[in-house]
């Protein structure tokens, strides 16, 4: 069923490679019933060559490969009423000119947070068993240790740096286990921490007392390179550091020095800075680094969740209901 003639006009602009994952046929069919497409889906490079496509567009749908919502684009889109982003962060595409227009922008960060939290949970449990460290020792010594000592998932302490979407989801997963979960997030209120089931501590205590520390903070001037030699050296023997947030949160040269000097530590790095690392980066060869290519976030069919969130928000928009995943402009600068 096609949308009525009075339905809002829409355009989908994103990279072609991930379009079918983010907007699968069932999601596009749902959108089709609510909007009239101005033109077939296109890439931002194609939009740049034909900006007149935006002239009568009410709703812009996008995802990876989104166009930057700058003054030039907005000038071409005088009727733009909302932007729906089937991806996580919107920092790279929003501008002061966009926020000044008061246009709501929906982010699917909450949907993208789901697989990241699942990946993190798996790595936390492996870290508490010190599985990566023991596997290294087994491969090196060619024998099994008789009685390996590990904290395990019983009354051990896990630390979360950041209580955004992902940090809170991870805390919720960990609540099912007999663990103490502590967190550090200057933006989190005591009530937020209470609802997440965690205790707020300072960053020094987080690193020096936890068997596993997982990073979920946004990359801001105050957080860039904040995880340096001092914090890393304070980690407990056999501790695991997990980073699924942003590579630049960690002072990489300092981390390399500490990891070389402390073979008992394990760093699970799903993100790096730069990404990927330079070909000669020690991260590729350090035995106590588990390096994965940014796979914690939504991949393949997991990306369907992002499109489904956008479709749900579109339904609310067309019914005049409040949007659940619109970015608050006052908080935009503090988001990942």
């Amino acid at each position: 069923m096609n949308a009525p003639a009075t339905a809002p006009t829409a355009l989908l602009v994103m990279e072609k490679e991930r379009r079918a994952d983010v907007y699968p046929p069932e999601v596009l069919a749902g959108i089709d019933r609510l909007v009239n497409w101005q033109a077939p889906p296109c890439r931002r490079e194609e939009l740049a060559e034909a900006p007149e496509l935006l002239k009568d567009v009410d709703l812009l749908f996008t995802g990876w490969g989104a166009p930057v919502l700058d003054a030039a684009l907005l000038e071409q889109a005088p009727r733009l009423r909302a932007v729906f982003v089937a991806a996580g962060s919107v920092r790279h595409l929003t501008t002061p000119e966009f926020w000044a227009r008061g246009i709501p922008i929906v982010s699917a960060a909450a949907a993208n947070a789901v697989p990241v939290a699942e990946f993190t949970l798996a790595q936390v449990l492996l870290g508490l068993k010190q599985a990566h460290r023991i596997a290294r020792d087994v491969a090196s010594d060619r024998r099994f240790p008789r009685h390996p000592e590990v904290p395990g998932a019983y009354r051990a302490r896990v630390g979360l740096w950041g209580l955004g979407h992902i940090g809170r989801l991870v805390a919720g997963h960990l609540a099912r286990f007999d663990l103490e979960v502590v967190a550090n997030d200057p933006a989190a209120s005591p009530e937020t921490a209470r609802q997440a089931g965690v205790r707020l501590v300072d960053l020094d205590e987080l690193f020096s007392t936890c068997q596993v520390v997982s990073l979920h903070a946004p990359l801001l001037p105050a957080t860039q390179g904040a995880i340096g030699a001092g914090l890393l050296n304070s980690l407990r023997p056999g501790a695991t550091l997990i980073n699924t947030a942003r590579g630049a949160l960690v002072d990489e040269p300092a981390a390399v020095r500490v990891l070389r000097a402390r073979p008992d530590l394990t760093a699970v790095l799903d993100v790096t800075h730069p990404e990927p690392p330079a070909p000669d980066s020690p991260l590729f060869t350090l035995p106590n680094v588990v390096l994965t290519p940014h796979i914690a976030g939504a991949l393949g069919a997991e990306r369907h969740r992002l499109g489904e969130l956008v479709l749900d928000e579109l339904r609310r928009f067309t019914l005049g209901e409040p949007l659940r995943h619109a970015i608050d402009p006052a908080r935009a600068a503090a988001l990942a």
Side-chain angles (χ1 to χ4, degrees), residues 215 223-227 232 241 243 246-252 255 269:
L215 309 185
T223 60
Q224 184 165 359
I227 308 306
L232 294 171
L241 174 75
N243 190 6
R246 292 288 185 266
L249 295 173
V250 178
D251 179 344
E252 186 176 302
L269 306 179

Side-chain angles (χ1 to χ4, degrees), residues 202-228:
D202 63 39
L203 201 55
D204 288 338
E205 180 179 343
L206 189 86
F207 271 76
S208 63
T209 65
C210 292
Q211 283 94 355
V212 177
V213 174
S214 189
L215 309 185
H216 304 288
L219 180 59
L220 305 170
T223 60
Q224 184 165 359
I227 308 306

